[in-house]
Amino acid sequence: MTTLSQVAQRAGVTSATVSNVLRQRGKVGADTRARVLAAVEALGYRPHLTARALAEGRAPTLALMVSSIANPFYPEFALAAEQAARQHGRFLIVCNTNDDPDIGRAYLDQIAGTLSDGVLVMNANICIEDLQATARRGATVVLGMWEKPHQPPALPCVAVDFHLAGALAARYLIALGHRKIGVMVGGGVCGVHAERERGFNDALLELGHGDAVVHRMMVHDSVEGGLQGGAAMLAAAPSITAVFATNDLPALGLMHAAADLGIKVPQQLSVIGLTDIQGAHQARPALTTVAVPTAQAAAMSVALLLELIAEPQSVAPMRIAPAPELVVRASTARRSD
Amino acid sequence: MTTLSQVAQRAGVTSATVSNVLRQRGKVGADTRARVLAAVEALGYRPHLTARALAEGRAPTLALMVSSIANPFYPEFALAAEQAARQHGRFLIVCNTNDDPDIGRAYLDQIAGTLSDGVLVMNANICIEDLQATARRGATVVLGMWEKPHQPPALPCVAVDFHLAGALAARYLIALGHRKIGVMVGGGVCGVHAERERGFNDALLELGHGDAVVHRMMVHDSVEGGLQGGAAMLAAAPSITAVFATNDLPALGLMHAAADLGIKVPQQLSVIGLTDIQGAHQARPALTTVAVPTAQAAAMSVALLLELIAEPQSVAPMRIAPAPELVVRASTARRSD
DNA sequence: GTGAAAGCGCTAACAG
DNA sequence: CTGTTAGCGCTTTCAC
């Protein structure tokens, strides 16, 4: 490892000067600068980020807390977050809480404010109290994807209008003529998708079809959950012609359940999901869904986090991500029965 | 932020003593310890990881370099790696290179040896020279999943026998009676899967069916690649009864291509992949594949990395992960034509 | 322009 | 058992 002072020594200057040329700060003579740069080059010097962070009184990383990076929704968010962070000279630490509040708390205790000065929180089943305690200790916390723009949370956040997302799904299904609809609410350890369902139901009411939902069930928020729940739903309510799943994963599972039962999607059954994960357009039939602006929300969250770190006061604590959008693919069709 | 010396002051001792009680080091009197702990509690003290790392002369994180965390293969690896790292008190930084050697180099230059003392490298299209330069600068580098156990690389690694993986696929297809086989080699920016194909071909030769491959093509290593390539292959070589894809993603794409053409899998066409990503068993039909020990390799890589950091010399530079295993699901069947 | 010095928060000898 | 003393590598005033 080469240190600043080694470079300084070789260049015949002091480490302060080397620091100055490296960070284009202060005035340095042209020849001195040249000598310094030559020494840097010759020694292969690289600044020690840990030391720099300590001296600057800031942490070099941002932390991303998710329940599990293996959940297909998060990698897209993480990718965008990491790229945004890197553009600002920060690195991204991923923290998998496994939906265990203790792990979440342990993470916050350890890295918030010391290794990471900013924490980006996704659904990770972390107690809001823990987050607030973390914020009180001086770390900056941002909720990466808050589901209720009309109901600001206690912490800074980037909000996505999931109520609208649900409504878009409802309007589309109604427009296609569906009047007997099943709803699969992804829940499980991640908590329920209440706002999405509310948006769906509200839109139905507005359209005068408040009675269109003939079957509703909670399922685990996964392909498996949708598969099992879907099989049960299709058996229990054979009259339904369309299903809205509050998440793509269960929607995909439902399509499998339909396939297993010989029910043709979309001819006999329309399926619409919500989120638009990668797997959605790769499925067969490709899943119609309401796309949520994952990457944008990630980038906005990082930006918000960094602004809050820089100027804790003068920043509005909530930003609204672009509106969700209906993405029509092949899993939905006009009611034909 | 509370610092050690604040705690010390409140407890009426010196910071060294506080440090000692916190890290169970040295001998501390019971009453002193109690007072210190009380102060820690009262002040809500949390050790500053950055400062600690600097003082200890080590970096607090491990870096995971991947081409893109959004590629479905990596999150599983990343999850296991992060958990292993955390058990050893380290945090995991994810570095997406986007297969750009410049980004890879920039990452290595910045964090290796300063923020991360260990670097875990997956296929990320990083020049081996850059990695070696990094190692020479003092950082520890481990290749997370080396494909050729019989050909140790220039850097420490965890090897997975992909030659065997390919062979398992070949044996199974032959056992099912297939004699006209297509091979889809995932390539694209990630580089080709040469070893997998070699294993497949070698096994075919061994079994006396060296001529079974009637069509071979390179495709982009993605669902899209498999979809496009698959359509082309099925059009060009309608006689094939089975396809081996060197990765699950193209295999999944191929199944879609077959579905689009009305070709029934597995009745008319058997498809076998390699890796066993999450999506494989969620597909319809569920994909038969050769499972690679992703999570184990991740855990082993982290262990190797940490041992190398602790004792650079005395550690064997290559470890072999558990052997790949055939996972029979629903996309393959006995040849029936 | 450049250097000297203090300090970020913590650890690690070594003294006492 | 506990305190003193040096740093870790870097940044940042403030003199010169």
Side-chain angles (χ1 to χ4, degrees):
Chain A
M1 243 226 58
T2 315
T3 70
L4 249 203
S5 63
Q6 290 173 5
V7 174
Q9 193 173 353
R10 187 181 229 267
V13 296
T14 188
S15 58
T17 302
V18 179
S19 178
N20 280 337
V21 357
L22 255 29
R23 34 199 18 252
Q24 345 254 33
R25 213 192 188 79
K27 298 286 158 243
V28 183
D31 52 335
T32 317
R33 140 170 288 111
R35 258 182 308 135
V36 167
L37 291 176
V40 163
E41 179 67 19
L43 264 31
Y45 169 78
R46 302 280 182 283
H48 194 295
L49 265 31
T50 301
R52 174 178 287 181
L54 184 62
E56 285 178 338
R58 53 157 221 177
T61 73
L62 261 27
L64 172 63
M65 311 208 45
V66 297
S67 56
S68 165
I69 190 69
N71 177 319
F73 173 70
Y74 297 120
E76 295 180 54
F77 189 96
L79 175 61
E82 185 264 358
Q83 292 179 337
R86 182 155 44 81
Q87 286 176 357
H88 295 276
R90 308 275 184 140
F91 301 92
L92 223 225
I93 291 180
V94 306
C95 311
N96 300 110
T97 67
N98 193 27
D99 280 316
D100 180 338
D102 292 337
I103 297 182
R105 191 176 312 117
Y107 255 123
L108 292 171
D109 271 0
Q110 290 188 87
I111 67 178
T114 71
L115 224 200
S116 303
D117 46 10
V119 181
L120 195 46
V121 182
M122 297 295 288
N123 300 333
N125 203 28
I126 301 176
C127 304
I128 187 83
E129 288 78 25
D130 291 335
L131 292 174
Q132 291 178 314
T134 302
R136 245 177 281 119
R137 285 216 321 277
T140 305
V141 178
V142 163
L143 304 180
M145 207 174 270
W146 178 250
E147 306 220 346
K148 294 170 277 186
H150 310 299
Q151 226 174 292
L155 291 161
C157 72
V158 169
V160 172
D161 194 342
F162 278 91
H163 187 274
L164 171 61
L168 291 175
R171 289 181 205 149
Y172 185 59
L173 254 25
I174 291 299
L176 287 177
H178 295 284
R179 296 297 179 268
K180 303 220 179 266
I181 299 174
V183 173
M184 280 178 47
V185 183
V189 285
C190 274
V192 292
H193 295 154
E195 197 61 20
R196 311 173 183 198
E197 185 183 17
R198 195 169 301 132
F200 188 84
N201 290 332
D202 287 353
L204 249 29
L205 281 172
E206 266 176 32
L207 295 167
H209 291 288
D211 57 348
V213 174
V214 298
H215 199 84
R216 171 193 190 276
M217 72 188 307
M218 307 263 311
V219 299
H220 186 267
D221 189 12
S222 63
V223 173
E224 263 65 31
L227 177 58
Q228 291 166 21
M233 178 182 280
L234 295 174
S239 67
I240 61 177
T241 64
V243 176
F244 164 57
T246 59
N247 217 1
D248 283 354
L249 253 20
L252 259 16
L254 169 67
M255 292 214 293
H256 295 159
D260 291 350
L261 291 168
I263 297 174
K264 292 216 180 314
V265 174
Q267 295 85 345
Q268 298 171 264
L269 183 74
S270 285
V271 177
I272 187 168
L274 199 161
T275 306
D276 197 21
I277 59 173
Q278 277 188 29
H281 80 275
Q282 295 170 351
R284 274 301 182 279
L287 183 68
T288 293
T289 189
V290 180
V292 146
T294 308
Q296 289 100 314
M300 290 175 68
S301 302
V302 169
L304 176 56
L305 203 43
L306 293 172
E307 289 177 40
L308 282 167
I309 290 171
E311 314 181 52
Q313 316 306 341
S314 63
V315 177
M318 181 165 84
R319 285 186 193 170
I320 313 284
E325 286 176 9
L326 177 69
V327 178
V328 176
R329 286 198 276 247
S331 68
T332 43
R334 182 157 290 281
R335 185 187 57 169
S336 62
D337 59 354
Chain B
M1 244 227 57
T2 315
T3 69
L4 250 202
S5 62
Q6 290 174 6
V7 174
Q9 194 174 352
R10 187 179 229 270
V13 296
T14 188
S15 58
T17 303
V18 179
S19 178
N20 280 337
V21 357
L22 256 28
R23 39 201 11 255
Q24 343 255 34
R25 212 193 186 79
K27 299 287 157 236
V28 184
D31 54 334
T32 317
R33 139 170 288 113
R35 257 182 309 136
V36 167
L37 290 175
V40 163
E41 179 68 19
L43 264 32
Y45 169 78
R46 303 280 183 282
H48 194 296
L49 265 32
T50 301
R52 175 178 285 180
L54 185 62
E56 285 179 337
R58 53 157 223 175
T61 73
L62 262 25
L64 172 63
M65 313 209 43
V66 297
S67 54
S68 166
I69 190 69
N71 177 319
F73 173 70
Y74 297 119
E76 294 180 55
F77 190 96
L79 174 62
E82 184 264 358
Q83 291 179 336
R86 182 156 44 81
Q87 286 176 358
H88 294 277
R90 307 275 184 141
F91 301 92
L92 223 224
I93 292 180
V94 305
C95 310
N96 300 110
T97 67
N98 193 28
D99 280 318
D100 180 339
D102 292 336
I103 298 182
R105 191 177 310 117
Y107 254 124
L108 291 170
D109 270 0
Q110 290 188 86
I111 66 179
T114 70
L115 224 201
S116 303
D117 47 9
V119 180
L120 195 46
V121 181
M122 297 295 287
N123 301 334
N125 203 28
I126 301 176
C127 304
I128 187 82
E129 288 78 26
D130 291 335
L131 292 173
Q132 292 178 314
T134 303
R136 245 178 279 117
R137 285 216 322 278
T140 306
V141 178
V142 163
L143 305 180
M145 207 174 271
W146 178 250
E147 307 220 346
K148 294 169 278 187
H150 310 300
Q151 225 174 292
L155 290 162
C157 72
V158 169
V160 172
D161 194 343
F162 278 91
H163 188 275
L164 172 61
L168 290 176
R171 289 181 206 150
Y172 185 59
L173 253 26
I174 291 299
L176 287 178
H178 296 284
R179 297 296 179 269
K180 302 221 180 265
I181 300 174
V183 174
M184 279 176 49
V185 183
V189 284
C190 275
V192 292
H193 295 153
E195 197 61 20
R196 310 173 185 199
E197 185 183 18
R198 195 169 302 132
F200 187 84
N201 289 333
D202 287 352
L204 248 30
L205 280 173
E206 265 175 32
L207 294 168
H209 292 288
D211 57 349
V213 175
V214 299
H215 200 83
R216 171 193 189 275
M217 72 188 307
M218 307 265 310
V219 299
H220 186 267
D221 190 12
S222 64
V223 173
E224 264 63 32
L227 178 59
Q228 291 165 21
M233 179 182 280
L234 294 173
S239 67
I240 61 176
T241 63
V243 176
F244 164 57
T246 59
N247 217 3
D248 282 354
L249 253 21
L252 259 17
L254 170 67
M255 293 213 292
H256 295 158
D260 291 350
L261 291 168
I263 297 174
K264 293 215 181 313
V265 174
Q267 295 85 346
Q268 299 169 264
L269 182 74
S270 285
V271 178
I272 187 168
L274 197 160
T275 307
D276 198 19
I277 60 174
Q278 278 187 29
H281 81 275
Q282 295 170 350
R284 276 306 127 105
L287 183 69
T288 292
T289 189
V290 179
V292 146
T294 308
Q296 290 100 312
M300 290 175 69
S301 302
V302 169
L304 176 56
L305 203 43
L306 293 172
E307 289 177 39
L308 282 167
I309 291 170
E311 314 181 51
Q313 315 308 341
S314 64
V315 177
M318 179 164 86
R319 284 184 195 171
I320 313 284
E325 285 177 9
L326 177 68
V327 179
V328 175
R329 288 197 274 248
S331 68
T332 43
R334 181 158 290 282
R335 185 187 58 170
S336 62
D337 58 355

